[in-house]
Amino acid sequence: MQGTVATFDAATRSGLLLLDDGTELPFPARAFDASGLRLLRLGQRVRVETDAGGDVVRVTLPTMP
């Protein structure tokens, strides 16, 4: 699934995504760390990977494999 970065705190490496259906989805530092990214910008499009429980496990750019 994909969404847009609504908030991102570089100090905690966590934030909030706004999914395409309007749902807000928080993501923890471990999901950001799993991406290999160094920074996210507000409004940036991202791809979201979740586990079976719906928790975010990875946030990446849509163009990244």
Side-chain angles (χ1 to χ4, degrees), residues 44-62:
Q44 186 171 17
R45 293 287 295 169
V46 293
R47 185 175 64 210
V48 183
E49 296 176 20
T50 58
D51 62 15
D55 294 326
V56 179
V57 294
R58 189 171 179 217
V59 177
T60 61
L61 300 178

Side-chain angles (χ1 to χ4, degrees), residues 14-65:
S14 61
L16 183 70
L17 303 173
L18 183 60
L19 301 181
D20 291 342
D21 66 1
T23 305
E24 292 183 341
L25 183 65
F27 66 91
R30 71 178 183 280
F32 177 73
D33 293 342
S35 73
L37 298 173
R38 297 194 307 176
L39 183 67
L40 290 173
R41 292 176 283 113
L42 299 183
Q44 186 171 17
R45 293 287 295 169
V46 293
R47 185 175 64 210
V48 183
E49 296 176 20
T50 58
D51 62 15
D55 294 326
V56 179
V57 294
R58 189 171 179 217
V59 177
T60 61
L61 300 178
T63 57
M64 292 178 69

